Each structure stands twice: as structure tokens, then as C-alpha cells.
Amino acid sequence: MLCKWLLFMALVFSVAVVDSFQKAPPLAKTENFRRRRGGSDNNNEDEATAMIRFDTSQRASAAAIGQYAPAAASLFSNMITPASILGGAIIPMSFASGLAFSGDEDESKFAKFLRKTFPLVSVSSLASLLISVLWSSVIVNQLTENEPALAASVWDLLCRDYALPWAAVNSHFVLGMLGYMWLIGTKAYFMSGQQLSIFTLAMSAMIMMVSIVNRGIASGGGNEAYRYGKSIVGLISSYLSMLFQRIRSTFGPLECIAVVLFIGSFGSYAKYVWNQIES
């Protein structure tokens, strides 16, 4: 029964997340430009026309070059307050009042699953929101203390100098927000005497959130070349891709340790939860 419910939830959530799964590589302007040209490699006239349009757009962008550090700092600052509020809301829900880790012997497997995963989701969501707040605060300080080079727009500045932090802040905020909604559904499920309809009500709100975020990501910088993708999947995959690229290019031992600890801890706890449910 548990497997059926988990499969059903995964299917519904996947449909919500992968509204438009096909995505462009993160900020791959050159590759997107080549794709938009289509078969122009074999057609000199089409290629020349495309290059003229591309050069024209570049000159238009150059004409609007300015200092967009204050605007970029404002964007990062906008993420601090909501992430802090959600993080503050998780603490009383998960750690002050909490949820009994062990239930009745005849409890359903689904109830056991929700009960056992409650601590994992609580810690993961809170940690994700705190990372979002910390990263945003650090970048705001950097933008204020050291003005970056001029850019064509605030989005151009983010893509050029702060692509990884901006993807990280948004990814961690979204994951923390969805985790918070999952905690609400779990808590309400047990408060209502394990009424599944209450849990699915919370899940409907979470799926709506995913849809809203997907549309926001899809609009991106206004065109395909400047998007992180077309869904949450694209945003998070872009973030992870850039994070691992930075680890490889400029070795960061603490980042490596953090990633290894996360993977090991998550896998170990997932195995523990599965054993507890099956026992």
C-alpha cells in the first residue's frame, strides 16, 4: 500500500515539476545562438543575416551599459526576508513541538513513512533556507564593498559574475519552501487522526507552488539563452552543474566534505527509514 501511494505521489509531483523538462544548458548563449540559426552553417546568406542580427543586439546592449550592482544587491536582499521567515517557522513546528518518532504498532506504512521522514525533512528544509540566507547576505556584502564591472543589465551582471550564487539562493529557497509545505501536510495528517485528505490538501498547495516557480523559471531573462531551464529541475541541475564545475576548477575541501556528508547521510537515513517501515 505504501509503495502504491509513494508511486502515485511521485507521479503527480513529477508532472508538476517537469512541466517543460527539456531545457537549455545553463546560460549557454553561444550554443543557443547556434541552435536558433538552424541550418545556417550550410547557407552563407542565412548565416550572414544571423550574424548581423546578433551583432546589432550586441551593440544595442552595449549602449545600455551601466552599474547594476545596487539592483543585483536588491535581488539578493529580497530572498533574505522570506527565507528567514520560513526558517523561523520551521523551528517551532519541528523542534519545539515536534512529532512523536514512534507510533502505534498497527500504524499504516504510509503513516510510518511520514513519521520517520519528518526529522529528515525538518533538518534539510531548515538547512536549505539558512544556506539561502547566508549566501544572499555574503553576495550583498560583496556587491556593496566591491562594485563589479559595468554590465548591460542586472540579469547580464548576474549571469556573468554571480550565476552560481543566484542559482544556489533560488534553489535552496525553493527546496526549503517545498519542504516546509511537506512538514505542514505531515503535521496536519497526524493532528487530524491520519486523514489522508488533509495531507493531499497540503500537497495540492505544494504542487501549485511548483507550477508557479516553473513558470517563473521559464520566463528567465526573457529569452532561452538566459534561462536556468524551464522548471525546478532545470534550476537545480544548473546549480549542481555549476557547483561541481567550481569544485573541480578551484578545489574547495569544505565544499567537497559538505557534498560527501550530504550524500552519505541522506543514503544512510533513507536505508534506515526503509528498514523501519518494513520491520
Side-chain angles (χ1 to χ4, degrees):
M1 184 65 180
L2 174 64
C3 293
K4 291 181 179 179
W5 272 112
L6 291 179
L7 182 62
F8 174 74
M9 290 168 56
L11 178 62
V12 174
F13 191 72
S14 298
V15 171
V17 171
V18 196
D19 283 338
S20 306
F21 186 79
Q22 293 182 347
K23 70 180 188 68
L27 309 178
K29 305 171 190 174
T30 304
E31 290 301 319
N32 278 282
F33 171 63
R34 292 196 186 106
R35 282 198 294 271
R36 286 196 298 270
R37 276 163 45 187
S40 61
D41 288 336
N42 298 323
N43 190 317
N44 294 332
E45 182 178 357
D46 291 343
E47 182 173 0
T49 303
M51 288 301 296
I52 291 171
R53 290 176 180 173
F54 182 75
D55 183 61
T56 302
S57 64
Q58 289 293 91
R59 289 198 302 270
S61 297
I65 283 179
Q67 182 54 261
Y68 290 93
S74 178
L75 286 176
F76 280 100
S77 297
N78 289 342
M79 305 298 294
I80 296 176
T81 300
S84 300
I85 293 174
L86 289 177
I90 288 177
I91 293 176
M93 176 186 293
S94 301
F95 302 100
S97 58
L99 182 68
F101 194 65
S102 300
D104 299 332
E105 290 294 331
D106 58 345
E107 200 170 50
S108 67
K109 289 186 176 183
F110 182 70
K112 289 181 179 179
F113 170 78
L114 292 180
R115 196 182 292 277
K116 300 300 182 184
T117 56
F118 190 82
L120 174 65
V121 178
S122 298
V123 173
S124 300
S125 300
L126 181 58
S128 189
L129 290 168
L130 289 177
I131 291 174
S132 181
V133 171
L134 178 62
W135 214 325
S136 295
S137 301
V138 169
I139 297 302
V140 168
N141 290 340
Q142 288 182 358
L143 286 164
T144 304
E145 295 167 356
N146 302 299
E147 285 191 344
L150 301 181
S153 66
V154 62
W155 187 244
D156 182 62
L157 173 61
L158 292 175
C159 294
R160 187 191 68 199
D161 297 338
Y162 303 99
L164 173 59
W166 187 238
V169 166
N170 282 275
S171 296
H172 283 292
F173 175 76
V174 169
L175 291 175
M177 177 187 64
L178 297 180
Y180 177 65
M181 200 66 231
W182 178 275
L183 294 175
I184 291 177
T186 300
K187 202 72 177 289
Y189 174 77
F190 288 102
M191 289 174 60
S192 64
Q194 300 185 15
Q195 292 293 319
L196 186 61
S197 58
I198 296 297
F199 181 78
T200 55
L201 180 62
M203 292 304 98
S204 69
M206 187 172 75
I207 292 172
M208 177 59 74
M209 292 177 184
V210 172
S211 178
I212 294 171
V213 173
N214 281 352
R215 292 183 181 277
I217 295 172
S219 63
N223 58 73
E224 186 180 0
Y226 285 88
R227 295 173 186 167
Y228 283 110
K230 293 184 178 180
S231 67
I232 290 177
V233 175
L235 172 64
I236 296 176
S237 64
S238 297
Y239 163 49
L240 295 177
S241 175
M242 288 186 286
L243 178 62
F244 283 113
Q245 286 177 12
R246 189 173 79 167
I247 293 176
R248 289 198 305 268
S249 60
T250 57
F251 177 71
L254 295 181
E255 292 172 337
C256 293
I257 293 173
V259 171
V260 171
L261 284 177
F262 171 78
I263 295 175
S265 301
F266 186 86
S268 177
Y269 194 82
K271 182 180 178 181
Y272 165 77
V273 170
W274 181 263
N275 293 335
Q276 288 292 309
I277 292 173
E278 293 299 318
S279 61

